[in-house]
Structures are given as structure tokens and as C-alpha cells.
Amino acid sequence: MRIEQATPEDCRAIAEVHVLSWQHAYKDILPAEYLDALSITSREAMWRESFFSGQPQLLVAKDNGTVVGFVAFGPSRDEGAQPLCAEVWAIYLTPSIWSQGAGRLLWLTAWERLLAQGFKIVSLWVIVGNERAIRFYSAAGFKPATHSTKAFTLGGVSLQEIRYDFNGNG
């Protein structure tokens, strides 16, 4: 397993991982119709635009040259966030390699890059009920932030997200 900087050629594979991961991770949270309608083509366009804008930063996990996961990260997008606070915008893996260490490698490589850029704290948002992700983030040292939930609607379902923070001591 290699972690490397994403290239424009990786955008299609990133989109494929993104859609497949959502379809598995959120199958008990979001309606099947919504998940089935996710478009690899539109996700590819989104990731290509992100790549060329430089935000977020994007790393991929490759197994024998095939993209099997990615992490997107950069400065925190939260209103009022401190300048030294970064954010994991997304981290997804092909479901067939879940719980095999690739997610941890992606996270640790992103954290090394963020430290080198002067960031001291990292936050992320996770959908309440996404127990697999919560276990992963907790094992990596992230802690739920007090009074940090927000509600939103996706696929016709009312959901809540909670912010988790990592301060390097986890």
C-alpha cells in the first residue's frame, strides 16, 4: 500500500471510491434511491475542480497502482475556526479494504503534512449513526467536541453531524 499525492489522472478513481464507499457506509442512514443515484461522473468533476483549485489537498492510497482510498484535507472551513485548525474534509476507502490499515495510513500521512504546514488541531464532521467512522476516528485520537452538532437534510432525510477534534495528543 502506497500513499501518494493525487494527480488529475486519479480523479475518476477517487470518484469511484467515493460513490462506492458512500453506498456501503450510508446504506442504513440514507435512502437506497439516493445512494443509487450518486453519480461517479459528477463526483469526478467535483474532485477534478478541487484538484486544480488546490483545495482541499488530496492524497490517495494505491494498492498495486490502483486507487483504493483517499483523504481530502486543508484549513478548517468552520466559521470562526482558529488559523492553526485544519480539517479532514473527507476520507473514504473501497469497502473491500475497510479495517486493513489503509485509512490509518491516509490519516497519518495527512497529519504529517498538516503538521509541516504549521497546523496544531484537526477537526472533522461525522454523521451521527455512522458507527464505523466514529470508531475509526476515536481510535485515531479524535474526540467529540462539546456543543458541536449541526442538522441538515440529505436525500430527504434529516441528519445530524458532530464535530470531532484531534490535538496531536491522541
Side-chain angles (χ1 to χ4, degrees):
M1 186 74 53
R2 293 178 41 111
I3 308 301
E4 53 191 60
Q5 184 70 44
T7 67
E9 292 76 25
D10 294 325
C11 290
R12 178 74 180 186
I14 290 167
E16 290 169 354
V17 168
H18 198 177
V19 168
L20 185 61
S21 185
W22 266 59
Q23 289 171 333
H24 282 76
Y26 301 125
K27 70 178 187 253
D28 295 328
I29 298 172
L30 292 169
E33 305 80 41
Y34 176 83
L35 294 172
D36 290 344
L38 292 174
S39 165
I40 291 171
T41 301
S42 65
R43 293 284 166 117
E44 178 183 8
M46 178 194 79
W47 286 116
R48 192 169 297 283
E49 182 180 323
S50 293
F51 179 85
F52 286 111
S53 76
Q55 283 298 328
Q57 297 172 63
L58 201 52
L59 299 174
V60 292
K62 289 187 176 179
D63 187 21
N64 293 320
T66 301
V67 173
V68 294
F70 70 94
V71 61
F73 57 97
S76 176
R77 299 171 291 178
D78 292 339
E79 187 176 322
Q82 299 298 314
L84 298 180
C85 185
E87 180 181 355
V88 171
W89 297 18
I91 184 169
Y92 291 104
L93 299 163
T94 299
S96 63
I97 67 156
W98 285 354
S99 301
Q100 294 180 28
R104 183 139 179 93
L105 284 173
L106 282 165
W107 156 241
L108 291 173
T109 306
W111 174 235
E112 287 173 6
R113 298 226 177 157
L114 290 167
L115 276 175
Q117 295 167 30
F119 291 101
K120 305 291 183 206
I121 298 169
V122 181
S123 67
L124 56 83
W125 290 89
V126 63
I127 294 174
V128 173
N130 187 349
E131 296 303 322
R132 171 179 282 283
I134 291 169
R135 282 192 307 273
F136 172 81
Y137 296 129
S138 296
F142 284 84
K143 308 266 186 254
T146 329
H147 309 296
S148 65
T149 58
K150 58 184 176 182
F152 66 103
T153 302
L154 188 61
V157 176
S158 296
L159 300 168
Q160 283 197 325
E161 284 183 306
I162 184 166
R163 192 181 80 227
Y164 276 69
D165 295 327
F166 178 85
N167 67 11
N169 298 322

